[in-house]
Amino acid sequence: MTTLVDVAKKANVSKMTVSRVINHPDKVTDELKRLVYDAMHELDYHPNMIAKALVNKSTMIIKLCILEDIDTTEPYYMNLMLGIAKTLDLHQYSLQLVTRRNFDIGNCDGYIITGMRQQDVEWIKKLTKPVIMFGENRYGLDYVDTNNKMGTYLLSQLALKKGYDRLIYIGIDSKESFEYSREAGYIQQVQEKRMVPELYRFDNHSHLGEEFIEKNWDNFTKNTAFICASDRLAIGIERGIARRGGKIPEEYGVTGFDGVFLNQVASPKITTVKQSIIEMGSTCGENLLDKIENNDTQGSILFEPKICLGGTLRE
Amino acid sequence: MTTLVDVAKKANVSKMTVSRVINHPDKVTDELKRLVYDAMHELDYHPNMIAKALVNKSTMIIKLCILEDIDTTEPYYMNLMLGIAKTLDLHQYSLQLVTRRNFDIGNCDGYIITGMRQQDVEWIKKLTKPVIMFGENRYGLDYVDTNNKMGTYLLSQLALKKGYDRLIYIGIDSKESFEYSREAGYIQQVQEKRMVPELYRFDNHSHLGEEFIEKNWDNFTKNTAFICASDRLAIGIERGIARRGGKIPEEYGVTGFDGVFLNQVASPKITTVKQSIIEMGSTCGENLLDKIENNDTQGSILFEPKICLGGTLRE
DNA sequence: TTAGTTGATGCTATCGGTAACATTTTACTC
DNA sequence: GAGTAAAATGTTACCGATAGCATCAACTAA
């Protein structure tokens, strides 16, 4: 493998000059720069990241910590990893996939953490390396997420625009930040129209949505739209309505959130918020590397929700 | 961060002795060893892998190269990565997820490659670092895979034992090694029983299996079992039979291969070969690290197939 | 007793870079 | 053209580990 010294010899300069050409090119004359570039090119020189890491006391490793149990049937985490990996590869960083148990094994330059619960805040705040969360939180930890509030706000708005005159929110029965935000988006839209919010919450299983509809069918006047906090719940609602003979989208509207795999199974397809997890993961990586390399305190990043029209709202 | 020198000072020895305690403990007296261990423990010493990597001219990085288009809705690759990551973390290695395009960016100590086609053999054979393939091949490249042949052999055997008297093989129309092996397993079992093999091949989509059954229904005498090369195809066959009013498992048997997510959707569940991709990935990692660290030429590893009983064979 | 052998431990250079300081060159002023 | 500041380039030490040789003590054999 060619090293700095090889290049230096070829270009008849000291290795420091070569190093400067790479890291502080403005401090080297154009003439020498060209000499060095030529030599580098000729020898097919690639800097040794390990040596660099040693002097910088860095590791070129990012740990991705998934705190939830991983449901491998959901493409969510796979997409996240693909996105992160894309960015890291580009910058020659590599990835360690860790869980809470093996979190402390080995060093790294920064962390991406996802699936955080309240009890995790404490130890996460104690970390001494840059951290970015994937998924919103309200503990002051920087994060990357879809703008959840805006998502349900827009879906509610769309439902109203399509002429549904009653909006019911079907939420996830959990105390996580994203759920509060989704509720908030719905509530804001409804209140702006001087309507009364109606919220129900269930564990995130489609059959719970289905049962809810079946049991309470008589309460649901025609021309109602259900704004659901997840595609799972939306699919359940959809099935429930179908069972009771309700017509979607003519009589009832349904919206979801997420763009999970299950949506492919639904019929008609749910109108939902599509999240590009890959892109978000990629941004998440960029953000973290920025923090690491430029000591930048970026703050959080919200992705604007993209509404993905299915067949569960009119027109 | 504590270093060798810190430990050496604490233990009143030279840093070389500390290094020896770690790497060649047999060359140090027990007394010094204990002194050093105590000091290491007291200072919470962890070797700096980067420095180690620099002298060893290693990188502590393994590249995982997925050559297929990744279908993120399949948990396959997620499981693979989880398995690999588990092993690598344990050995302080980290992972780079690369595609053919960014394959050459940056250095590494070894490769895990999956989704290989024939055209890839050439460049893979030229790699100078240890390689292990995930998925069988017939080009002499070491691999980790389920014993595909044994899988269909056993499923066929089971179907016969359950009393089905005609076995039809539904294969995947591709020239990949695993498919040949699965066919071979079926053929061997059938020939041992002096029966005549009947093989059909389709692209790996359930609807193709379904259509095949519908169109050729009259050919399929009762008491036939379909040995399918994938759960996807098996689900299609199952649906086709159901549509035509055939009874599973009483009149017809079906077996699959893989244990993919879709099986959860099938009813009744397919009798299939369950592959623990996580475990296989983990072994794959161990194998590669062995090759790297011990210069070991391990050869391939076959996992014995585990038959997972569903409701598509009698009893 | 003394030379030779063996085993335990220490010393030094090295891996491939970078920062800090040292030195040389350049440019500009009077 | 000497004096000086600024810019360009070189020298040295160091990051944290390991290999190889040097040293030294203990033990064996003549």
Side-chain angles (χ1 to χ4, degrees), chain B residues 292-307:
Chain B
I292 292 169
E293 294 181 349
N294 309 324
N295 220 355
D296 232 346
T297 51
Q298 285 279 340
S300 298
I301 294 182
L302 282 178
F303 276 72
E304 287 317 301
K306 280 182 204 145
I307 289 181

mmCIF file with all atom_site columns, all heavy atoms in Angstrom, chain B residues 292-307:
data_model
loop_
_atom_site.group_PDB
_atom_site.id
_atom_site.type_symbol
_atom_site.label_atom_id
_atom_site.label_alt_id
_atom_site.label_comp_id
_atom_site.label_asym_id
_atom_site.label_entity_id
_atom_site.label_seq_id
_atom_site.pdbx_PDB_ins_code
_atom_site.Cartn_x
_atom_site.Cartn_y
_atom_site.Cartn_z
_atom_site.occupancy
_atom_site.B_iso_or_equiv
_atom_site.pdbx_formal_charge
_atom_site.auth_seq_id
_atom_site.auth_comp_id
_atom_site.auth_asym_id
_atom_site.auth_atom_id
_atom_site.pdbx_PDB_model_num
ATOM 1   N N   . ILE B 1 292 ? -9.446  -14.644 8.882  1.00 0.00 ? 292 ILE B N   1
ATOM 2   C CA  . ILE B 1 292 ? -8.606  -13.453 8.975  1.00 0.00 ? 292 ILE B CA  1
ATOM 3   C C   . ILE B 1 292 ? -7.536  -13.613 10.039 1.00 0.00 ? 292 ILE B C   1
ATOM 4   O O   . ILE B 1 292 ? -6.358  -13.378 9.801  1.00 0.00 ? 292 ILE B O   1
ATOM 5   C CB  . ILE B 1 292 ? -9.471  -12.220 9.299  1.00 0.00 ? 292 ILE B CB  1
ATOM 6   C CG1 . ILE B 1 292 ? -10.380 -11.888 8.116  1.00 0.00 ? 292 ILE B CG1 1
ATOM 7   C CG2 . ILE B 1 292 ? -8.591  -11.031 9.639  1.00 0.00 ? 292 ILE B CG2 1
ATOM 8   C CD1 . ILE B 1 292 ? -11.447 -10.878 8.434  1.00 0.00 ? 292 ILE B CD1 1
ATOM 9   N N   . GLU B 1 293 ? -7.970  -14.038 11.213 1.00 0.00 ? 293 GLU B N   1
ATOM 10  C CA  . GLU B 1 293 ? -7.043  -14.004 12.339 1.00 0.00 ? 293 GLU B CA  1
ATOM 11  C C   . GLU B 1 293 ? -6.150  -15.228 12.412 1.00 0.00 ? 293 GLU B C   1
ATOM 12  O O   . GLU B 1 293 ? -5.025  -15.145 12.885 1.00 0.00 ? 293 GLU B O   1
ATOM 13  C CB  . GLU B 1 293 ? -7.831  -13.821 13.635 1.00 0.00 ? 293 GLU B CB  1
ATOM 14  C CG  . GLU B 1 293 ? -8.488  -12.444 13.659 1.00 0.00 ? 293 GLU B CG  1
ATOM 15  C CD  . GLU B 1 293 ? -9.267  -12.174 14.934 1.00 0.00 ? 293 GLU B CD  1
ATOM 16  O OE1 . GLU B 1 293 ? -9.477  -13.119 15.713 1.00 0.00 ? 293 GLU B OE1 1
ATOM 17  O OE2 . GLU B 1 293 ? -9.671  -11.014 15.132 1.00 0.00 ? 293 GLU B OE2 1
ATOM 18  N N   . ASN B 1 294 ? -6.636  -16.348 11.935 1.00 0.00 ? 294 ASN B N   1
ATOM 19  C CA  . ASN B 1 294 ? -5.821  -17.548 12.010 1.00 0.00 ? 294 ASN B CA  1
ATOM 20  C C   . ASN B 1 294 ? -5.374  -18.020 10.643 1.00 0.00 ? 294 ASN B C   1
ATOM 21  O O   . ASN B 1 294 ? -4.828  -19.093 10.504 1.00 0.00 ? 294 ASN B O   1
ATOM 22  C CB  . ASN B 1 294 ? -6.604  -18.664 12.706 1.00 0.00 ? 294 ASN B CB  1
ATOM 23  C CG  . ASN B 1 294 ? -7.183  -18.192 14.004 1.00 0.00 ? 294 ASN B CG  1
ATOM 24  O OD1 . ASN B 1 294 ? -6.555  -17.400 14.703 1.00 0.00 ? 294 ASN B OD1 1
ATOM 25  N ND2 . ASN B 1 294 ? -8.384  -18.635 14.326 1.00 0.00 ? 294 ASN B ND2 1
ATOM 26  N N   . ASN B 1 295 ? -5.634  -17.181 9.662  1.00 0.00 ? 295 ASN B N   1
ATOM 27  C CA  . ASN B 1 295 ? -5.235  -17.539 8.318  1.00 0.00 ? 295 ASN B CA  1
ATOM 28  C C   . ASN B 1 295 ? -5.764  -18.923 7.950  1.00 0.00 ? 295 ASN B C   1
ATOM 29  O O   . ASN B 1 295 ? -5.104  -19.698 7.282  1.00 0.00 ? 295 ASN B O   1
ATOM 30  C CB  . ASN B 1 295 ? -3.718  -17.529 8.228  1.00 0.00 ? 295 ASN B CB  1
ATOM 31  C CG  . ASN B 1 295 ? -3.273  -16.932 6.929  1.00 0.00 ? 295 ASN B CG  1
ATOM 32  O OD1 . ASN B 1 295 ? -4.120  -16.620 6.086  1.00 0.00 ? 295 ASN B OD1 1
ATOM 33  N ND2 . ASN B 1 295 ? -1.988  -16.766 6.742  1.00 0.00 ? 295 ASN B ND2 1
ATOM 34  N N   . ASP B 1 296 ? -6.924  -19.189 8.450  1.00 0.00 ? 296 ASP B N   1
ATOM 35  C CA  . ASP B 1 296 ? -7.524  -20.504 8.341  1.00 0.00 ? 296 ASP B CA  1
ATOM 36  C C   . ASP B 1 296 ? -8.315  -20.601 7.045  1.00 0.00 ? 296 ASP B C   1
ATOM 37  O O   . ASP B 1 296 ? -9.081  -19.720 6.712  1.00 0.00 ? 296 ASP B O   1
ATOM 38  C CB  . ASP B 1 296 ? -8.494  -20.698 9.506  1.00 0.00 ? 296 ASP B CB  1
ATOM 39  C CG  . ASP B 1 296 ? -8.194  -21.992 10.223 1.00 0.00 ? 296 ASP B CG  1
ATOM 40  O OD1 . ASP B 1 296 ? -7.457  -22.809 9.656  1.00 0.00 ? 296 ASP B OD1 1
ATOM 41  O OD2 . ASP B 1 296 ? -8.689  -22.149 11.342 1.00 0.00 ? 296 ASP B OD2 1
ATOM 42  N N   . THR B 1 297 ? -8.130  -21.687 6.336  1.00 0.00 ? 297 THR B N   1
ATOM 43  C CA  . THR B 1 297 ? -8.968  -21.881 5.159  1.00 0.00 ? 297 THR B CA  1
ATOM 44  C C   . THR B 1 297 ? -10.037 -22.897 5.513  1.00 0.00 ? 297 THR B C   1
ATOM 45  O O   . THR B 1 297 ? -9.851  -24.096 5.384  1.00 0.00 ? 297 THR B O   1
ATOM 46  C CB  . THR B 1 297 ? -8.135  -22.383 3.976  1.00 0.00 ? 297 THR B CB  1
ATOM 47  O OG1 . THR B 1 297 ? -7.380  -23.497 4.427  1.00 0.00 ? 297 THR B OG1 1
ATOM 48  C CG2 . THR B 1 297 ? -7.210  -21.311 3.475  1.00 0.00 ? 297 THR B CG2 1
ATOM 49  N N   . GLN B 1 298 ? -11.139 -22.382 5.979  1.00 0.00 ? 298 GLN B N   1
ATOM 50  C CA  . GLN B 1 298 ? -12.170 -23.189 6.600  1.00 0.00 ? 298 GLN B CA  1
ATOM 51  C C   . GLN B 1 298 ? -12.966 -24.077 5.661  1.00 0.00 ? 298 GLN B C   1
ATOM 52  O O   . GLN B 1 298 ? -13.450 -25.111 6.051  1.00 0.00 ? 298 GLN B O   1
ATOM 53  C CB  . GLN B 1 298 ? -13.175 -22.260 7.289  1.00 0.00 ? 298 GLN B CB  1
ATOM 54  C CG  . GLN B 1 298 ? -12.659 -21.659 8.569  1.00 0.00 ? 298 GLN B CG  1
ATOM 55  C CD  . GLN B 1 298 ? -12.794 -22.616 9.715  1.00 0.00 ? 298 GLN B CD  1
ATOM 56  O OE1 . GLN B 1 298 ? -13.564 -23.550 9.653  1.00 0.00 ? 298 GLN B OE1 1
ATOM 57  N NE2 . GLN B 1 298 ? -12.038 -22.394 10.764 1.00 0.00 ? 298 GLN B NE2 1
ATOM 58  N N   . GLY B 1 299 ? -13.155 -23.614 4.437  1.00 0.00 ? 299 GLY B N   1
ATOM 59  C CA  . GLY B 1 299 ? -14.115 -24.315 3.601  1.00 0.00 ? 299 GLY B CA  1
ATOM 60  C C   . GLY B 1 299 ? -15.514 -23.843 3.906  1.00 0.00 ? 299 GLY B C   1
ATOM 61  O O   . GLY B 1 299 ? -15.704 -22.898 4.662  1.00 0.00 ? 299 GLY B O   1
ATOM 62  N N   . SER B 1 300 ? -16.491 -24.526 3.333  1.00 0.00 ? 300 SER B N   1
ATOM 63  C CA  . SER B 1 300 ? -17.868 -24.073 3.474  1.00 0.00 ? 300 SER B CA  1
ATOM 64  C C   . SER B 1 300 ? -18.545 -24.684 4.691  1.00 0.00 ? 300 SER B C   1
ATOM 65  O O   . SER B 1 300 ? -18.074 -25.662 5.252  1.00 0.00 ? 300 SER B O   1
ATOM 66  C CB  . SER B 1 300 ? -18.651 -24.434 2.219  1.00 0.00 ? 300 SER B CB  1
ATOM 67  O OG  . SER B 1 300 ? -18.089 -23.769 1.113  1.00 0.00 ? 300 SER B OG  1
ATOM 68  N N   . ILE B 1 301 ? -19.654 -24.069 5.066  1.00 0.00 ? 301 ILE B N   1
ATOM 69  C CA  . ILE B 1 301 ? -20.429 -24.584 6.192  1.00 0.00 ? 301 ILE B CA  1
ATOM 70  C C   . ILE B 1 301 ? -21.877 -24.764 5.771  1.00 0.00 ? 301 ILE B C   1
ATOM 71  O O   . ILE B 1 301 ? -22.502 -23.838 5.261  1.00 0.00 ? 301 ILE B O   1
ATOM 72  C CB  . ILE B 1 301 ? -20.373 -23.610 7.377  1.00 0.00 ? 301 ILE B CB  1
ATOM 73  C CG1 . ILE B 1 301 ? -18.946 -23.531 7.911  1.00 0.00 ? 301 ILE B CG1 1
ATOM 74  C CG2 . ILE B 1 301 ? -21.340 -24.054 8.462  1.00 0.00 ? 301 ILE B CG2 1
ATOM 75  C CD1 . ILE B 1 301 ? -18.800 -22.639 9.107  1.00 0.00 ? 301 ILE B CD1 1
ATOM 76  N N   . LEU B 1 302 ? -22.378 -25.957 5.971  1.00 0.00 ? 302 LEU B N   1
ATOM 77  C CA  . LEU B 1 302 ? -23.775 -26.233 5.642  1.00 0.00 ? 302 LEU B CA  1
ATOM 78  C C   . LEU B 1 302 ? -24.582 -26.400 6.922  1.00 0.00 ? 302 LEU B C   1
ATOM 79  O O   . LEU B 1 302 ? -24.179 -27.159 7.813  1.00 0.00 ? 302 LEU B O   1
ATOM 80  C CB  . LEU B 1 302 ? -23.880 -27.514 4.818  1.00 0.00 ? 302 LEU B CB  1
ATOM 81  C CG  . LEU B 1 302 ? -23.526 -27.374 3.351  1.00 0.00 ? 302 LEU B CG  1
ATOM 82  C CD1 . LEU B 1 302 ? -23.627 -28.713 2.639  1.00 0.00 ? 302 LEU B CD1 1
ATOM 83  C CD2 . LEU B 1 302 ? -24.463 -26.366 2.686  1.00 0.00 ? 302 LEU B CD2 1
ATOM 84  N N   . PHE B 1 303 ? -25.679 -25.719 7.019  1.00 0.00 ? 303 PHE B N   1
ATOM 85  C CA  . PHE B 1 303 ? -26.569 -25.906 8.158  1.00 0.00 ? 303 PHE B CA  1
ATOM 86  C C   . PHE B 1 303 ? -27.571 -26.995 7.839  1.00 0.00 ? 303 PHE B C   1
ATOM 87  O O   . PHE B 1 303 ? -28.174 -26.982 6.756  1.00 0.00 ? 303 PHE B O   1
ATOM 88  C CB  . PHE B 1 303 ? -27.317 -24.604 8.451  1.00 0.00 ? 303 PHE B CB  1
ATOM 89  C CG  . PHE B 1 303 ? -26.525 -23.656 9.293  1.00 0.00 ? 303 PHE B CG  1
ATOM 90  C CD1 . PHE B 1 303 ? -25.434 -23.000 8.763  1.00 0.00 ? 303 PHE B CD1 1
ATOM 91  C CD2 . PHE B 1 303 ? -26.869 -23.429 10.611 1.00 0.00 ? 303 PHE B CD2 1
ATOM 92  C CE1 . PHE B 1 303 ? -24.687 -22.119 9.532  1.00 0.00 ? 303 PHE B CE1 1
ATOM 93  C CE2 . PHE B 1 303 ? -26.130 -22.556 11.389 1.00 0.00 ? 303 PHE B CE2 1
ATOM 94  C CZ  . PHE B 1 303 ? -25.038 -21.898 10.853 1.00 0.00 ? 303 PHE B CZ  1
ATOM 95  N N   . GLU B 1 304 ? -27.736 -27.889 8.759  1.00 0.00 ? 304 GLU B N   1
ATOM 96  C CA  . GLU B 1 304 ? -28.723 -28.937 8.514  1.00 0.00 ? 304 GLU B CA  1
ATOM 97  C C   . GLU B 1 304 ? -30.120 -28.326 8.552  1.00 0.00 ? 304 GLU B C   1
ATOM 98  O O   . GLU B 1 304 ? -30.435 -27.544 9.429  1.00 0.00 ? 304 GLU B O   1
ATOM 99  C CB  . GLU B 1 304 ? -28.585 -30.060 9.543  1.00 0.00 ? 304 GLU B CB  1
ATOM 100 C CG  . GLU B 1 304 ? -27.348 -30.898 9.299  1.00 0.00 ? 304 GLU B CG  1
ATOM 101 C CD  . GLU B 1 304 ? -27.158 -31.217 7.799  1.00 0.00 ? 304 GLU B CD  1
ATOM 102 O OE1 . GLU B 1 304 ? -28.043 -31.825 7.187  1.00 0.00 ? 304 GLU B OE1 1
ATOM 103 O OE2 . GLU B 1 304 ? -26.105 -30.836 7.238  1.00 0.00 ? 304 GLU B OE2 1
ATOM 104 N N   . PRO B 1 305 ? -30.954 -28.674 7.583  1.00 0.00 ? 305 PRO B N   1
ATOM 105 C CA  . PRO B 1 305 ? -32.283 -28.069 7.502  1.00 0.00 ? 305 PRO B CA  1
ATOM 106 C C   . PRO B 1 305 ? -33.170 -28.519 8.653  1.00 0.00 ? 305 PRO B C   1
ATOM 107 O O   . PRO B 1 305 ? -33.109 -29.679 9.056  1.00 0.00 ? 305 PRO B O   1
ATOM 108 C CB  . PRO B 1 305 ? -32.824 -28.589 6.170  1.00 0.00 ? 305 PRO B CB  1
ATOM 109 C CG  . PRO B 1 305 ? -32.035 -29.805 5.872  1.00 0.00 ? 305 PRO B CG  1
ATOM 110 C CD  . PRO B 1 305 ? -30.692 -29.615 6.495  1.00 0.00 ? 305 PRO B CD  1
ATOM 111 N N   . LYS B 1 306 ? -33.943 -27.589 9.173  1.00 0.00 ? 306 LYS B N   1
ATOM 112 C CA  . LYS B 1 306 ? -34.910 -27.945 10.206 1.00 0.00 ? 306 LYS B CA  1
ATOM 113 C C   . LYS B 1 306 ? -36.297 -27.880 9.620  1.00 0.00 ? 306 LYS B C   1
ATOM 114 O O   . LYS B 1 306 ? -36.742 -26.829 9.164  1.00 0.00 ? 306 LYS B O   1
ATOM 115 C CB  . LYS B 1 306 ? -34.820 -26.974 11.376 1.00 0.00 ? 306 LYS B CB  1
ATOM 116 C CG  . LYS B 1 306 ? -33.683 -27.271 12.311 1.00 0.00 ? 306 LYS B CG  1
ATOM 117 C CD  . LYS B 1 306 ? -33.700 -26.290 13.469 1.00 0.00 ? 306 LYS B CD  1
ATOM 118 C CE  . LYS B 1 306 ? -32.304 -26.166 14.063 1.00 0.00 ? 306 LYS B CE  1
ATOM 119 N NZ  . LYS B 1 306 ? -31.999 -24.836 14.536 1.00 0.00 ? 306 LYS B NZ  1
ATOM 120 N N   . ILE B 1 307 ? -36.984 -28.971 9.647  1.00 0.00 ? 307 ILE B N   1
ATOM 121 C CA  . ILE B 1 307 ? -38.327 -28.961 9.092  1.00 0.00 ? 307 ILE B CA  1
ATOM 122 C C   . ILE B 1 307 ? -39.288 -28.370 10.093 1.00 0.00 ? 307 ILE B C   1
ATOM 123 O O   . ILE B 1 307 ? -39.251 -28.681 11.278 1.00 0.00 ? 307 ILE B O   1
ATOM 124 C CB  . ILE B 1 307 ? -38.760 -30.374 8.694  1.00 0.00 ? 307 ILE B CB  1
ATOM 125 C CG1 . ILE B 1 307 ? -37.957 -30.774 7.462  1.00 0.00 ? 307 ILE B CG1 1
ATOM 126 C CG2 . ILE B 1 307 ? -40.255 -30.428 8.398  1.00 0.00 ? 307 ILE B CG2 1
ATOM 127 C CD1 . ILE B 1 307 ? -38.277 -32.120 6.928  1.00 0.00 ? 307 ILE B CD1 1
#
